[in-house]
Amino acid sequence: MLSFEPATVFSSRHLADIFSTAPMRAIFGESNSLASMLLVEAALARVQGQLGVISAEAAAAITSAARAERLDLDELAAGTLRAGLPVVNLVEQLIRLTGKPHGEFVHWGATSQDIMDTALVMQIRDALELVERDLESLISAITELARTHRDTPMVGRTKLQHAIPITFGFKASVWLSGLLRHRERLAELRPRVLQVQFGGAVGTFASLGDDGDRVRAGLARELGLAEPLVAWHAARDALAETVCLLGLISTSLSKIATDVVLMAQTEVGEVLEPGGQGHGGSSTMPHKRNPIICEQILSTGSALRRLASAMLDASVHDHERATGPWQAEWLLLPEAFMLIARAMGNAIRLCTGLVVRPDAMQANLGRTQGLIAAEAVMMALAPHVGRHHAHEMVGAACTHAIASGLTLAQSLARDPAVTAHLTPHEVEAAADPARYVGQSGREVDRVLAASADRPGRAAQQAKWSGTP
């Protein structure tokens, strides 16, 4: 009996849920991987039985025998080590389990990569369902943040410095806009990646002759997958696109986490991660509330984006069947899905329970005593003295305000060149940060409308399959 000691975070009892989720681990776990390969073998036999390529009796016997719980896993492990892939011994065991004479028709006209690639696509289909579910939950959570805080003013920052005011709803709508693009990308990806693989040794149906294309079409229908234009044994762009999409999603999640981490700093205090007993606790500092959800999003995102790069390299296959890159996919693709699953779960938790502090946002708007509204004053003066001259006048007033400790409005009110054109009331109004959020609310509304404008699931399914 072979024995395995957990050696990665994905198999560690105390770390697995930091970097992955149980539902995604189940999709790419050993049991489901083997069951998926056997499902493809059984489906192939049934289709060939229906087409008369093999007998109906053989098809029924193979389908009955193709059960993962009947496999000898120790034999499979040893056979995989010898052959370099699991299908060789899996087929040997399936032949034996089917018995004579029908076992001789197992794997008829197929090659190992046909089985493994198609099984992988079926796993990807299930995994993308989880990604889509989480994506919609996250879109819903951020939509609510944007709607609730449409008009909540806060500091807009560029290069980590105060720029001009925005609303928190506007910031959230920027987060949301990226997720809406990922929603579109996911729908567009599916028909390219969810394709059956079947063509035999080099993809030409040589062992099946005229029956080859009919078997491939039937197998696609049986498994609910699309037919490819041609065998894709050595054309791996769709799988690379899949991992790159996961990498892109991770960049959006990491953007959210980065903003939240910076806004949650003690000196800023505009938001806080969801709390709870022991959340973000320190072993030595009782007062700490560390941003552990954001930490996990950022760490999984960094790892995932490296996988996307590696997956692009692994997509360069030699001739009709590759020497090495294919096996690299076995490492990269499941790990990418496990990482994105945890990152998505963390982002949902973060945005659903995010503690927003409008009072701190208002306090930070006032930290520079009106300087954040300098552009607003400049634009109020510009029609009278020209934009360039107004920029110089307000710049001088800002310098004086900083040196003297005055507010921007007080500094401006002491300048006759300013008061010659603007009344004290007009200066005060222009220097009020809360009044200078531009079209933040209107932009939020545009994004919220786009978020709500989504075709129904049935319409999307029809689009993926190309049916009217």
Side-chain angles (χ1 to χ4, degrees), residues 95-142:
I95 291 170
R96 189 167 66 243
L97 291 168
T98 303
K100 295 182 178 180
H102 302 311
E104 297 302 320
F105 295 95
V106 169
H107 201 66
W108 194 262
T111 192
S112 295
Q113 194 168 340
D114 287 338
I115 304 305
M116 289 188 66
D117 279 352
T118 302
L120 177 62
V121 166
M122 294 168 63
Q123 291 171 282
I124 289 173
R125 178 172 60 188
D126 292 342
L128 289 177
E129 289 289 334
L130 294 185
V131 171
E132 182 186 40
R133 180 199 68 188
D134 286 347
L135 182 60
E136 291 304 322
S137 294
L138 184 56
I139 286 173
S140 178
I142 298 180

Side-chain angles (χ1 to χ4, degrees), residues 113-114 116-117 120 197 201 231-240 310-333:
Q113 194 168 340
D114 287 338
M116 289 188 66
D117 279 352
L120 177 62
Q197 176 79 285
W232 46 276
H233 295 129
R236 316 302 283 184
D237 54 286
L239 296 183
M311 191 70 181
L312 289 172
D313 283 338
S315 299
V316 183
H317 285 216
D318 47 285
H319 295 304
E320 283 62 56
R321 299 281 291 281
T323 312
W326 182 45
Q327 287 81 357
E329 294 174 359
W330 308 351
L331 294 168
L332 302 172
L333 196 142

Side-chain angles (χ1 to χ4, degrees), residues 151-236:
D151 301 311
T152 302
M154 65 172 293
V155 173
R157 298 174 172 94
T158 60
K159 303 184 187 301
L160 295 179
Q161 306 295 309
H162 284 208
I164 62 174
I166 59 173
T167 69
F168 182 59
F170 177 80
K171 180 182 284 288
S173 72
V174 173
W175 299 346
L176 181 58
S177 66
L179 301 179
L180 299 181
R181 288 188 289 276
H182 298 322
R183 173 195 275 173
E184 294 176 2
R185 292 182 178 110
L186 180 55
E188 293 163 358
L189 167 72
R190 276 187 163 104
R192 289 193 286 271
V193 71
L194 301 184
Q195 297 186 0
V196 74
Q197 176 79 285
F198 186 75
V202 294
T204 62
F205 304 120
S207 62
L208 289 176
D210 291 342
D211 291 325
D213 54 353
R214 294 194 302 141
V215 171
R216 181 173 64 189
L219 184 59
R221 287 193 301 271
E222 183 75 11
L223 296 174
L225 299 174
E227 284 188 75
L229 288 173
V230 68
W232 46 276
H233 295 129
R236 316 302 283 184

